[in-house]
C-alpha cells in the first residue's frame, strides 16, 4: 500500500493541530510527532508547552526545526503514522537561518532552498510503503497584504510551500473556528 499524504490547514488557533492529532490517533499504527517549532520567545515557549501537554506520551517525539528530509529515514522507521506540525514554522526557521534577506533575489534563493528540501521529503514519503503522513500548516494568505517586504516574502514563500504539499496530498482539510471540512475531493480541474 502506498503512503498517504494529508494536509491540515487553517488560521492561527483555528483547531487545525487538534484535528490533525485526532486524525492521527484514529489511524492504526505507531505514532510519531515531528515538531518544527523553536522557542525564540516567551509566546513560543508557551505554545510549545501547550502542544506537548496536549500530546501526552503516546507519540515518538522528534524536534526537527530544519532539514526534515535528512531526518526522514529515522522518523519513518519509528512510526507508521507521522504528524509534522508545522510547515509554517519550518518555513520561518529557514528564514531565520538564512539571515538577512536584502531583496527579491535573496527571497527567490531562500524559496528555492525550502522547496528543494520539501520536494526531497515528499519524494521520500511517496517512495515509502504504508505510511500516513499528516502535515499541519497555517493558511496565512487570506488577509491583507503585509505592509513590509519581509512579511510579504514570508507570506509568498509559505503559500508556495503549502501549494507544493497540497498538490501531492491525498486529502486536504481546512479548519475554520474549530470546524473542519475536506477540500481535496472537491477540487476543480480545468483541462485545456
Amino acid at each position: 500500500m502506498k503512503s498517504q499524504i494529508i494536509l491540515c490547514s487553517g488560521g492561527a488557533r483555528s483547531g487545525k493541530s487538534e484535528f490533525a492529532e485526532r486524525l492521527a490517533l484514529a489511524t492504526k499504527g505507531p505514532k510519531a510527532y515531528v515538531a518544527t517549532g523553536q522557542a525564540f520567545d516567551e509566546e513560543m515557549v508557551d505554545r510549545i508547552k501547550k502542544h506537548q501537554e496536549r500530546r501526552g506520551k503516546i507519540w515518538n517525539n522528534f524536534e526537527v526545526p530544519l532539514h526534515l528530509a535528512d531526518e526522514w529515514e529515522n522518523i519513518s522507521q519509528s512510526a507508521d503514522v507521522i504528524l509534522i506540525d508545522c510547515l509554517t514554522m519550518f518555513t520561518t526557521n529557514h528564514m531565520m537561518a538564512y539571515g538577512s534577506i536584502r531583496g527579491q533575489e535573496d527571497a527567490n534563493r531562500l524559496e528555492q532552498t525550502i522547496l528543494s528540501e520539501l520536494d526531497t521529503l515528499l519524494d521520500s514519503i511517496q517512495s515509502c510503503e504504508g505510511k500516513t503522513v499528516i502535515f499541519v500548516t497555517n493558511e496565512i494568505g487570506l488577509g491583507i497584504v503585509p505592509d513590509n517586504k519581509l512579511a510579504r516574502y514570508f507570506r509568498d514563500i509559505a503559500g508556495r510551500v503549502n501549494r507544493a504539499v497540497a498538490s501531492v496530498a491525498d486529502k486536504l482539510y481546512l479548519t475554520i473556528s474549530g470546524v473542519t471540512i475536506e477540500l481535496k475531493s472537491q477540487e476543480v480541474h480545468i483541462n485545456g
Side-chain angles (χ1 to χ4, degrees):
M1 175 177 95
K2 79 175 194 105
S3 290
Q4 180 178 35
I5 297 174
I6 300 170
L7 179 62
C8 298
S9 188
R13 303 288 195 224
S14 63
K16 65 190 173 300
S17 290
E18 292 91 336
F19 172 80
E21 290 167 12
R22 287 192 312 272
L23 182 62
L25 291 171
T27 305
K28 291 183 181 181
K31 319 281 189 262
Y33 201 109
V34 181
T36 62
Q38 296 184 84
F40 289 119
D41 57 29
E42 182 181 331
E43 185 270 336
M44 278 304 295
V45 169
D46 182 64
R47 183 181 294 255
I48 289 169
K49 182 180 177 211
K50 286 177 181 171
H51 273 245
Q52 289 170 336
E53 289 171 353
R54 186 176 66 234
R55 286 196 306 260
K57 301 195 184 296
I58 67 164
W59 304 83
N60 292 315
N61 290 297
F62 296 86
E63 293 184 14
V64 187
L66 294 166
H67 312 298
L68 283 168
D70 293 344
E71 294 295 323
W72 174 250
E73 187 173 333
N74 186 35
I75 295 165
S76 66
Q77 290 177 359
S78 76
D80 293 330
V81 181
I82 300 158
L83 176 59
I84 301 173
D85 192 357
C86 78
L87 289 172
T88 312
M89 286 306 305
F90 170 75
T91 302
T92 299
N93 296 338
H94 272 281
M95 289 188 80
M96 300 289 279
Y98 187 86
S100 179
I101 300 173
R102 293 179 296 279
Q104 189 63 53
E105 190 174 308
D106 282 345
N108 291 345
R109 202 171 9 256
L110 171 62
E111 179 179 319
Q112 188 54 47
T113 297
I114 296 169
L115 290 175
S116 178
E117 179 180 343
L118 188 60
D119 284 345
T120 300
L121 175 64
L122 293 169
D123 287 345
S124 296
I125 292 168
Q126 291 173 317
S127 69
C128 283
E129 290 290 322
K131 304 292 181 189
T132 298
V133 182
I134 303 168
F135 289 92
V136 176
T137 194
N138 287 284
E139 185 54 57
I140 61 171
L142 296 174
I144 61 171
V145 175
D147 68 348
N148 71 76
K149 196 182 317 185
L150 184 60
R152 288 191 300 275
Y153 290 149
F154 175 74
R155 178 211 53 196
D156 291 349
I157 293 169
R160 289 185 188 99
V161 165
N162 290 350
R163 284 176 60 183
V165 176
S167 71
V168 298
D170 299 288
K171 293 182 181 175
L172 168 57
Y173 294 100
L174 177 65
T175 302
I176 300 173
S177 301
V179 176
T180 302
I181 57 173
E182 199 281 321
L183 295 175
K184 190 76 174 200
S185 64
Q186 299 177 56
E187 183 177 15
V188 175
H189 298 277
I190 299 173
N191 297 322

